[in-house]
Amino acid sequence: MNYATIKPVDIANGEGVRVSLFVSGCTHHCKGCFNQVAWDFDYGQPFTSEVERDIINLCDRHYIRGLSLLGGEPLDPNNIETLFALCRNFKQIFPDKTIWCYTGYKWEDVNHLEIMNYIDILVDGQFVQELRDLRLRFRGSSNQRIIDVQMSRGKETPILWR
Ligand code: SF4
Protein backbone atom coordinates (compact mmCIF):
# COMPACT_ATOMS: atom_id res chain seq x y z
CA MET A 1 0.00 0.00 0.00
CA ASN A 2 1.08 3.54 -0.71
CA TYR A 3 0.00 6.60 1.21
CA ALA A 4 -0.15 10.25 0.24
CA THR A 5 -0.07 12.21 3.50
CA ILE A 6 -0.11 11.98 7.25
CA LYS A 7 -1.61 14.93 9.13
CA PRO A 8 -0.20 14.92 12.65
CA VAL A 9 -2.91 17.30 13.94
CA ASP A 10 -6.31 17.25 12.24
CA ILE A 11 -9.62 18.60 13.54
CA ALA A 12 -11.60 18.29 10.28
CA ASN A 13 -11.91 14.52 9.87
CA GLY A 14 -13.50 13.18 13.00
CA GLU A 15 -14.18 14.06 16.61
CA GLY A 16 -11.50 15.90 18.55
CA VAL A 17 -7.88 16.33 17.59
CA ARG A 18 -6.74 13.42 15.46
CA VAL A 19 -3.94 11.96 13.39
CA SER A 20 -5.07 11.40 9.80
CA LEU A 21 -3.64 8.99 7.25
CA PHE A 22 -4.52 9.50 3.58
CA VAL A 23 -3.91 6.27 1.65
CA SER A 24 -3.46 5.99 -2.11
CA GLY A 25 -5.74 4.28 -4.59
CA CYS A 26 -9.45 4.59 -5.27
CA THR A 27 -11.63 3.09 -7.98
CA HIS A 28 -14.85 4.98 -7.16
CA HIS A 29 -13.87 8.07 -9.20
CA CYS A 30 -16.64 10.27 -7.78
CA LYS A 31 -17.41 13.41 -9.76
CA GLY A 32 -15.94 16.40 -7.89
CA CYS A 33 -13.63 14.24 -5.74
CA PHE A 34 -11.52 16.43 -3.41
CA ASN A 35 -8.44 14.27 -3.87
CA GLN A 36 -8.15 12.96 -7.42
CA VAL A 37 -4.37 12.54 -7.28
CA ALA A 38 -4.95 9.75 -4.79
CA TRP A 39 -6.92 7.63 -7.27
CA ASP A 40 -3.57 6.22 -8.38
CA PHE A 41 -2.49 3.27 -6.21
CA ASP A 42 1.17 4.19 -6.89
CA TYR A 43 0.80 7.78 -5.71
CA GLY A 44 2.86 8.87 -2.70
CA GLN A 45 5.19 6.65 -0.75
CA PRO A 46 5.20 3.04 0.42
CA PHE A 47 3.61 2.44 3.81
CA THR A 48 6.39 0.71 5.75
CA SER A 49 6.67 -0.54 9.33
CA GLU A 50 8.62 2.67 10.09
CA VAL A 51 5.67 4.73 8.88
CA GLU A 52 3.34 2.69 11.07
CA ARG A 53 5.62 3.32 14.05
CA ASP A 54 5.60 7.05 13.29
CA ILE A 55 1.80 7.06 13.28
CA ILE A 56 1.64 5.21 16.59
CA ASN A 57 4.09 7.70 18.08
CA LEU A 58 2.04 10.63 16.78
CA CYS A 59 -1.07 9.13 18.35
CA ASP A 60 0.72 8.72 21.68
CA ARG A 61 0.01 12.31 22.73
CA HIS A 62 -2.57 12.95 25.44
CA TYR A 63 -4.64 15.38 23.34
CA ILE A 64 -4.96 13.04 20.36
CA ARG A 65 -8.43 11.47 20.39
CA GLY A 66 -7.67 8.93 17.70
CA LEU A 67 -6.71 7.98 14.17
CA SER A 68 -8.64 8.78 10.97
CA LEU A 69 -8.24 6.79 7.76
CA LEU A 70 -9.00 8.52 4.48
CA GLY A 71 -8.01 8.28 0.86
CA GLY A 72 -8.14 7.24 -1.67
CA GLU A 73 -10.11 4.26 -0.48
CA PRO A 74 -9.00 2.68 2.80
CA LEU A 75 -11.25 -0.35 2.28
CA ASP A 76 -10.07 -1.13 -1.25
CA PRO A 77 -8.88 -4.77 -1.47
CA ASN A 78 -5.38 -3.44 -2.24
CA ASN A 79 -5.22 -1.45 1.00
CA ILE A 80 -7.30 -3.29 3.52
CA GLU A 81 -4.77 -5.88 4.67
CA THR A 82 -2.23 -3.24 5.66
CA LEU A 83 -4.86 -1.12 7.38
CA PHE A 84 -6.28 -4.14 9.19
CA ALA A 85 -2.86 -4.69 10.78
CA LEU A 86 -2.50 -0.98 11.59
CA CYS A 87 -5.95 -0.83 13.21
CA ARG A 88 -5.38 -4.00 15.23
CA ASN A 89 -2.03 -2.73 16.53
CA PHE A 90 -3.47 0.71 17.23
CA LYS A 91 -6.32 -0.70 19.33
CA GLN A 92 -3.96 -2.95 21.27
CA ILE A 93 -1.89 0.07 22.24
CA PHE A 94 -4.69 2.64 22.55
CA PRO A 95 -7.91 0.82 23.53
CA ASP A 96 -9.52 4.13 24.57
CA LYS A 97 -8.75 6.07 21.40
CA THR A 98 -11.01 5.88 18.37
CA ILE A 99 -10.60 4.98 14.70
CA TRP A 100 -12.66 6.83 12.10
CA CYS A 101 -12.66 5.49 8.54
CA TYR A 102 -13.91 7.30 5.43
CA THR A 103 -15.02 5.00 2.62
CA GLY A 104 -16.76 5.30 -0.73
CA TYR A 105 -18.42 1.93 -0.11
CA LYS A 106 -21.76 1.65 1.63
CA TRP A 107 -22.12 0.14 5.08
CA GLU A 108 -24.30 -2.62 3.65
CA ASP A 109 -21.41 -3.79 1.45
CA VAL A 110 -18.56 -3.64 3.97
CA ASN A 111 -20.05 -4.29 7.41
CA HIS A 112 -18.95 -7.94 7.28
CA LEU A 113 -15.25 -7.06 6.93
CA GLU A 114 -12.98 -8.12 9.77
CA ILE A 115 -11.47 -4.64 10.02
CA MET A 116 -14.84 -3.46 11.43
CA ASN A 117 -13.81 -5.10 14.71
CA TYR A 118 -11.47 -2.15 15.18
CA ILE A 119 -13.26 0.76 13.52
CA ASP A 120 -15.42 2.95 15.74
CA ILE A 121 -16.93 5.29 13.18
CA LEU A 122 -17.46 4.71 9.45
CA VAL A 123 -18.31 7.64 7.18
CA ASP A 124 -19.78 5.79 4.21
CA GLY A 125 -20.82 6.36 0.61
CA GLN A 126 -19.40 8.08 -2.42
CA PHE A 127 -19.16 11.84 -2.63
CA VAL A 128 -22.12 13.15 -4.67
CA GLN A 129 -21.47 16.62 -6.01
CA GLU A 130 -25.18 17.48 -6.32
CA LEU A 131 -25.61 16.70 -2.61
CA ARG A 132 -22.56 18.66 -1.47
CA ASP A 133 -23.30 20.77 1.61
CA LEU A 134 -20.62 22.84 3.32
CA ARG A 135 -22.67 22.97 6.53
CA LEU A 136 -22.31 19.23 7.08
CA ARG A 137 -19.91 18.19 9.79
CA PHE A 138 -17.29 15.55 8.98
CA ARG A 139 -18.74 14.66 5.56
CA GLY A 140 -18.94 16.22 2.12
CA SER A 141 -22.39 15.30 0.78
CA SER A 142 -25.68 14.59 2.49
CA ASN A 143 -25.94 10.98 1.24
CA GLN A 144 -22.94 10.04 3.35
CA ARG A 145 -23.67 8.63 6.80
CA ILE A 146 -21.63 8.82 10.00
CA ILE A 147 -22.13 5.34 11.41
CA ASP A 148 -21.44 4.05 14.88
CA VAL A 149 -19.87 0.76 13.82
CA GLN A 150 -19.89 -1.09 17.12
CA MET A 151 -23.56 -0.18 17.77
CA SER A 152 -24.46 -1.21 14.22
CA ARG A 153 -22.80 -4.59 13.99
CA GLY A 154 -25.26 -7.35 13.20
CA LYS A 155 -28.03 -4.85 12.47
CA GLU A 156 -29.68 -4.40 9.08
CA THR A 157 -30.02 -0.65 9.49
CA PRO A 158 -26.92 1.13 10.71
CA ILE A 159 -27.05 3.29 13.85
CA LEU A 160 -25.92 6.81 13.12
CA TRP A 161 -23.38 8.51 15.37
CA ARG A 162 -25.06 11.09 17.64
S1 SF4 B 1 -14.39 7.67 -2.69
FE1 SF4 B 1 -13.35 9.52 -1.92
S2 SF4 B 1 -11.28 9.44 -2.80
FE2 SF4 B 1 -12.53 7.99 -3.95
S3 SF4 B 1 -13.25 9.16 -5.72
FE3 SF4 B 1 -14.83 9.30 -4.14
S4 SF4 B 1 -14.37 11.19 -3.00
FE4 SF4 B 1 -12.54 10.64 -4.18
Side-chain angles (χ1 to χ4, degrees):
M1 183 183 85
N2 273 22
Y3 74 101
T5 315
I6 295 166
K7 287 192 179 171
V9 175
D10 188 1
I11 56 166
N13 295 301
E15 193 181 29
V17 184
R18 316 186 64 79
V19 175
S20 291
L21 167 66
F22 292 76
V23 304
S24 297
C26 182
T27 58
H28 298 300
H29 295 189
C30 310
K31 191 171 79 172
C33 168
F34 73 109
N35 196 15
Q36 287 194 21
V37 289
W39 290 0
D40 180 357
F41 285 88
D42 293 325
Y43 181 72
Q45 307 153 64
F47 189 87
T48 61
S49 51
E50 286 74 28
V51 177
E52 175 167 325
R53 203 174 321 127
D54 288 346
I55 288 174
I56 296 292
N57 287 337
L58 285 170
C59 292
D60 195 13
R61 294 174 287 172
H62 71 275
Y63 56 87
I64 294 294
R65 188 79 71 89
L67 173 67
S68 294
L69 306 174
L70 307 98
E73 175 53 79
L75 301 185
D76 187 276
N78 286 294
N79 295 335
I80 197 163
E81 207 175 309
T82 305
L83 292 180
F84 174 82
L86 171 64
C87 291
R88 186 188 51 201
N89 294 341
F90 176 92
K91 281 292 185 175
Q92 273 171 1
I93 300 167
F94 307 117
D96 297 329
K97 299 194 185 212
T98 58
I99 298 178
W100 282 52
C101 178
Y102 285 76
T103 180
Y105 295 110
K106 288 184 137 183
W107 163 257
E108 289 74 6
D109 299 320
V110 293
N111 65 52
H112 63 284
L113 296 173
E114 220 179 333
I115 195 171
M116 293 303 160
N117 289 326
Y118 305 113
I119 291 174
D120 296 281
I121 302 291
L122 188 78
V123 184
D124 86 331
Q126 294 190 13
F127 172 70
V128 177
Q129 201 164 31
E130 293 72 23
L131 299 178
R132 179 173 184 236
D133 186 342
L134 292 173
R135 293 165 302 179
L136 296 170
R137 217 174 155 218
F138 304 139
R139 57 199 172 122
S141 56
S142 58
N143 61 298
Q144 295 170 318
R145 300 171 292 185
I146 305 178
I147 295 168
D148 185 322
V149 173
Q150 298 313 314
M151 295 273 285
S152 301
R153 298 215 70 191
K155 297 198 169 70
E156 257 178 57
T157 309
I159 310 288
L160 300 185
W161 179 67
R162 302 275 162 88

Coordinates of all heavy atoms in Angstrom, one line a residue, residues 26 28-30 33-34 39 71-72 104 127, ligand 1:
C26 N -8.0 4.6 -5.4 CA -9.4 4.6 -5.3 C -10.0 4.3 -6.6 O -9.6 5.0 -7.6 CB -10.0 5.9 -4.7 SG -11.7 5.9 -4.5
H28 N -13.5 4.4 -7.1 CA -14.9 5.0 -7.2 C -15.0 6.1 -8.2 O -16.0 6.3 -8.8 CB -15.3 5.5 -5.8 CG -15.4 4.4 -4.8 ND1 -16.2 3.3 -4.9 CD2 -14.7 4.2 -3.6 CE1 -16.0 2.5 -3.8 NE2 -15.1 3.1 -3.0
H29 N -13.9 7.0 -8.2 CA -13.9 8.1 -9.2 C -15.1 8.9 -9.1 O -15.8 9.2 -10.2 CB -13.6 7.5 -10.6 CG -12.3 6.9 -10.8 ND1 -11.8 6.5 -12.0 CD2 -11.4 6.5 -9.9 CE1 -10.6 5.9 -11.8 NE2 -10.3 5.9 -10.5
C30 N -15.5 9.4 -8.0 CA -16.6 10.3 -7.8 C -16.4 11.6 -8.5 O -15.3 12.2 -8.5 CB -16.8 10.6 -6.3 SG -16.8 9.2 -5.2
C33 N -14.5 14.8 -6.8 CA -13.6 14.2 -5.7 C -12.6 15.3 -5.3 O -12.0 16.0 -6.1 CB -12.9 13.0 -6.2 SG -11.6 12.4 -5.2
F34 N -12.4 15.4 -4.0 CA -11.5 16.4 -3.4 C -10.1 16.0 -3.6 O -9.2 16.8 -3.3 CB -11.8 16.6 -1.9 CG -11.4 15.5 -1.0 CD1 -10.3 15.6 -0.2 CD2 -12.1 14.3 -1.1 CE1 -9.9 14.5 0.6 CE2 -11.6 13.2 -0.3 CZ -10.6 13.3 0.5
W39 N -6.3 8.8 -6.6 CA -6.9 7.6 -7.3 C -5.9 6.6 -7.7 O -6.2 5.4 -7.8 CB -7.7 8.1 -8.5 CG -8.9 8.9 -8.3 CD1 -9.4 9.3 -7.0 CD2 -9.8 9.5 -9.2 NE1 -10.5 10.0 -7.2 CE2 -10.8 10.2 -8.5 CE3 -9.8 9.5 -10.6 CZ2 -11.8 10.9 -9.2 CZ3 -10.8 10.2 -11.3 CH2 -11.8 10.8 -10.6
G71 N -8.7 8.6 2.1 CA -8.0 8.3 0.9 C -8.2 9.3 -0.2 O -8.4 10.5 0.1
G72 N -8.2 8.7 -1.4 CA -8.1 7.2 -1.7 C -9.2 6.5 -1.0 O -10.2 7.0 -0.4
G104 N -15.8 5.1 0.3 CA -16.8 5.3 -0.7 C -17.8 4.1 -0.8 O -18.8 4.2 -1.5
F127 N -18.9 10.4 -2.6 CA -19.2 11.8 -2.6 C -20.1 12.1 -3.8 O -19.7 11.8 -5.0 CB -17.9 12.6 -2.7 CG -18.1 14.1 -3.0 CD1 -18.6 14.9 -1.9 CD2 -17.8 14.7 -4.2 CE1 -18.8 16.3 -2.1 CE2 -18.0 16.1 -4.4 CZ -18.5 16.8 -3.3
Ligands
SF4_1 S1 -14.4 7.7 -2.7 FE1 -13.3 9.5 -1.9 S2 -11.3 9.4 -2.8 FE2 -12.5 8.0 -3.9 S3 -13.2 9.2 -5.7 FE3 -14.8 9.3 -4.1 S4 -14.4 11.2 -3.0 FE4 -12.5 10.6 -4.2

